[in-house]
């Protein structure tokens, strides 16, 4: 079994570089299916299992997808799609695979996709995606574990109001609308930086998308789209993880590539705790020294505090003297890391959707298992500050979102190592 072993007590210092955003790369790979002409080159792509899996989905549909590891880019071509049915064995591995639905529907008039899998952090239904497709004129059914959509002729522009703010539904509806006849208005749209990045890529492919980053997105349909070259934005969740790593070890770390506007809520909360956060054109510097103080965090859609940083932040809050509160409003099942933090000595109790953290007590190393991607990162961060050795298993989750987390933390002075078994497996995937 692959594990990460961390010996706590080392103050992290130095510079760490952020990779491209996983949550932008995945929908951008899906958007490449819209191009009936030419090749796309996506730059700044980290080697992650989710990304390799979605590239494999592209190949299964008849497209071409080649990961060039030495340049951290993917070459894509979807000129000759062979099928509109995505393979079950790949789709069930990750929720992001459902992003191919919008492009397939827009370009071919049909898709058939198994209900997707992914991290077990709560219900994430695709009903808002389906609402968007149906508003554009598609007929969508769910039978025997498959979602199938079709439209006679072309999709038609429409006004789409999303009942809840959903990054996935916003992006899928936006992608589907690019080839629809007429104008589409997406209201109550998600504002995340990844939505903006996908819109910029779609426009480079010939689409006409305006308003991304606001709650109203306008899409004027075009007859066809072509390949394009695009550099992905830095991963704000990876950047935030290293910022919290600096804080939890009372360190001094410059996170190169981090964009302050993408992480303003995290920066504000770190400052509330007494951490020094400095914005720079090239990144963000985090310096933490005692004394620090307890804080409260509530997850919200962007520009609120990211749910994907809640677990990591809770590990930090466990080191702050006093009582801190972490309220989760985005996913209902995102406290699965709490029992593992308790194994390390953290004093945390759950009251509904709020975790009450009585912090300041020293944590001690223990054998813990990650339940999902961000929980895995949180347990590694907890290990950085704990007394003794922490052993983290469940690394298949970690590999979905962090490329070389161990190497980057080691470069900052952490005493951390990873078993060779998982490293060898990930290198094998990357070579394809």
């Amino acid at each position: 079994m692959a594990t990460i072993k961390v010996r706590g007590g080392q103050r992290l210092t130095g510079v760490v570089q952020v990779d491209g955003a996983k949550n932008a790369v995945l929908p951008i790979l899906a958007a490449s299916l819209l191009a009936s002409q030419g090749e796309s080159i996506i730059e700044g792509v980290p080697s992650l299992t989710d990304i390799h899996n979605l590239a494999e989905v592209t190949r299964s549909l008849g497209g071409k997808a080649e990961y060039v590891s030495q340049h951290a880019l993917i070459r894509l071509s979807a000129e000759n799609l062979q099928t509109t049915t995505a393979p079950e064995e790949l789709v069930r591995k990750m929720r992001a695979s459902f992003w191919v639905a919008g492009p397939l529907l827009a370009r071919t008039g049909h898709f058939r996709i198994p209900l997707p899998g992914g991290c077990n952090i709560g219900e994430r239904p695709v009903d808002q995606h389906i609402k968007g497709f149906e508003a554009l004129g598609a007929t969508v059914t769910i039978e025997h574990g498959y979602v199938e959509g079709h439209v006679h002729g072309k999709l038609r522009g429409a006004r789409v109001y999303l009942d809840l703010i959903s990054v996935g539904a916003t992006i899928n509806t936006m992608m589907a609308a690019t080839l629809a006849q007429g104008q589409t208005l997406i209201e109550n749209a998600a504002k995340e930086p990844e939505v903006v990045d996908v819109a910029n890529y779609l426009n480079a492919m010939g689409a006409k998308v305006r308003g991304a980053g606001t709650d109203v997105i306008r899409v004027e349909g075009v007859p066809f789209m072509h390949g394009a070259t695009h550099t992905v934005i830095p991963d704000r969740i990876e950047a935030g993880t290293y910022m919290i790593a600096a804080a939890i070890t009372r360190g001094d770390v410059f996170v190169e590539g981090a964009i302050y506007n993408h992480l303003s809520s995290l920066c504000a909360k770190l400052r509330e705790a007494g951490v020094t956060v400095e914005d720079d054109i090239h990144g963000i510097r985090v310096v933490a020294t005692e004394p620090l103080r307890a804080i409260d965090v509530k997850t919200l859609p962007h520009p609120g505090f990211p749910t994907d940083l809640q677990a990591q932040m809770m590990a930090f809050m466990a080191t702050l003297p006093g009582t801190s509160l972490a309220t989760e409003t985005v996913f209902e099942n995102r406290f699965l890391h709490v029992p593992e933090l308790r194994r390390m000595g953290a004093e945390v109790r759950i009251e509904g959707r709020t975790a009450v953290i009585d912090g300041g007590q020293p944590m001690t190393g223990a054998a813990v298992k990650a339940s999902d991607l961000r929980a895995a990162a949180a347990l590694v961060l907890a290990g950085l500050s704990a007394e003794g050795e922490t052993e983290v298993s469940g690394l298949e989750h970690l590999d979905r979102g962090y490329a070389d987390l161990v190497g980057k933390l080691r470069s900052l002075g952490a005493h951390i190592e990873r078993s060779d078994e998982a490293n060898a497996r990930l290198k094998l995937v990357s070579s394809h």
Side-chain angles (χ1 to χ4, degrees):
M1 179 178 64
T3 61
I4 288 176
K5 293 182 180 179
V6 189
R7 182 163 292 278
Q10 292 299 119
R11 183 173 186 259
L12 299 189
T13 59
V15 178
V16 62
Q17 176 69 49
V18 178
D19 289 321
K22 166 206 165 184
N23 289 334
V25 173
L26 293 172
I28 283 173
L29 295 186
S32 299
L33 297 173
L34 290 161
S36 55
Q37 300 177 8
E39 178 186 71
S40 289
I41 298 175
I42 314 302
E43 300 173 328
V45 179
S47 180
L48 302 172
T49 54
D50 271 10
I51 290 172
H52 293 298
N53 284 336
L54 194 54
E56 184 60 31
V57 171
T58 300
R59 289 189 285 268
S60 74
L61 297 170
K64 298 178 181 178
E66 176 194 5
Y67 184 74
V68 185
S69 58
Q70 62 267 38
H71 298 299
L73 62 81
I74 288 185
R75 297 181 182 275
L76 297 143
S77 174
E79 291 180 324
N80 300 303
L81 295 180
Q82 303 297 316
T83 180
T84 55
T85 299
E88 181 175 0
E89 65 274 13
L90 291 173
V91 173
R92 293 203 183 280
K93 292 181 180 179
M94 57 174 182
R95 180 175 175 79
S97 53
F98 197 73
W99 267 319
V100 304
L104 287 175
L105 182 63
R107 183 170 160 198
T108 72
H110 178 263
F111 71 84
R112 186 170 185 265
I113 300 175
L115 287 169
C119 279
N120 182 29
I121 57 176
E123 289 296 321
R124 292 183 287 177
V126 295
D127 60 316
Q128 295 301 300
H129 301 243
I130 293 172
K131 180 180 181 179
F133 299 155
E134 290 179 335
L136 296 173
T139 300
V140 183
T141 58
I142 302 178
E143 292 182 347
H144 309 297
Y146 276 79
V147 184
E148 186 166 11
H150 66 270
V151 63
H152 297 294
K154 294 181 70 69
L155 295 171
R156 300 181 303 276
R159 179 173 292 226
V160 181
Y161 180 83
L162 299 177
D163 296 319
L164 53 87
I165 298 174
S166 164
V167 173
T170 297
I171 290 176
N172 232 339
T173 305
M174 180 172 67
M175 292 190 294
T178 58
L179 295 177
Q181 293 177 333
Q183 186 182 88
T184 298
L185 200 68
I186 306 172
E187 298 176 297
N188 200 31
K191 305 174 186 177
E192 272 71 2
E194 294 80 11
V195 175
V196 179
D197 205 35
V198 175
N200 289 338
Y201 175 59
L202 291 171
N203 288 338
M205 297 173 69
K208 295 180 179 179
V209 181
R210 293 181 296 135
T214 75
D215 60 359
V216 179
I217 297 175
R218 291 173 171 83
V219 184
E220 188 72 39
V222 297
F224 71 94
M225 293 170 67
H226 52 77
T229 297
H230 179 79
T231 300
V232 178
I233 59 172
D235 194 314
R236 63 193 173 101
I237 305 304
E238 185 196 15
T241 299
Y242 294 125
M243 291 169 64
I244 297 171
I248 202 170
T249 63
R250 309 308 191 253
D252 181 351
V253 174
F254 185 78
V255 185
E256 189 172 352
I259 298 175
Y260 184 88
N261 287 345
H262 293 180
L263 289 158
S264 57
S265 58
L266 172 62
C267 293
K269 286 300 172 181
L270 289 176
R271 284 177 175 144
E272 279 185 30
V275 176
T276 299
V277 180
E278 299 175 358
D279 181 21
D280 182 271
I281 189 171
H282 299 296
I284 299 174
R285 182 185 179 193
V286 176
V287 184
T289 55
E290 301 290 1
L292 299 178
R293 52 188 173 272
I295 55 173
D296 296 340
V297 166
K298 182 178 183 179
T299 65
L300 291 166
H302 190 78
F305 192 89
T307 181
D308 281 349
L309 287 175
Q310 176 256 110
Q312 300 94 307
M313 197 65 167
M314 191 184 296
F316 170 56
M317 293 158 80
T319 72
L320 301 176
T323 300
S324 297
L325 303 177
T327 301
E328 176 60 53
T329 73
V330 179
F331 295 122
E332 74 279 3
N333 198 27
R334 205 155 201 182
F335 287 147
L336 296 178
H337 51 280
V338 169
E340 302 304 290
L341 288 176
R342 286 176 181 153
R343 288 172 60 84
M344 300 179 67
E347 295 186 11
V348 186
R349 65 183 185 275
I350 306 299
E351 297 180 358
R353 286 204 160 193
T354 297
V356 181
I357 304 107
D358 294 319
Q361 302 301 317
M363 287 190 286
T364 56
V368 292
K369 184 174 182 179
S371 56
D372 58 75
L373 167 55
R374 306 308 174 183
L379 295 174
V380 172
L381 297 194
L384 292 173
S385 68
E387 297 176 355
E389 185 176 88
T390 299
E391 183 176 78
V392 182
S393 59
L395 301 189
E396 67 277 8
H397 299 294
L398 189 76
D399 292 336
R400 294 181 52 238
Y402 295 90
D404 196 25
L405 178 72
V406 169
K408 290 184 178 184
L409 290 175
R410 188 185 293 123
S411 74
L412 297 174
H415 289 174
I416 183 170
E417 63 180 18
R418 175 170 173 158
S419 63
D420 292 334
E421 176 189 337
N423 283 332
R425 184 172 64 250
L426 191 56
K427 288 178 181 177
L428 179 63
V429 171
S430 301
S431 67
H432 290 314

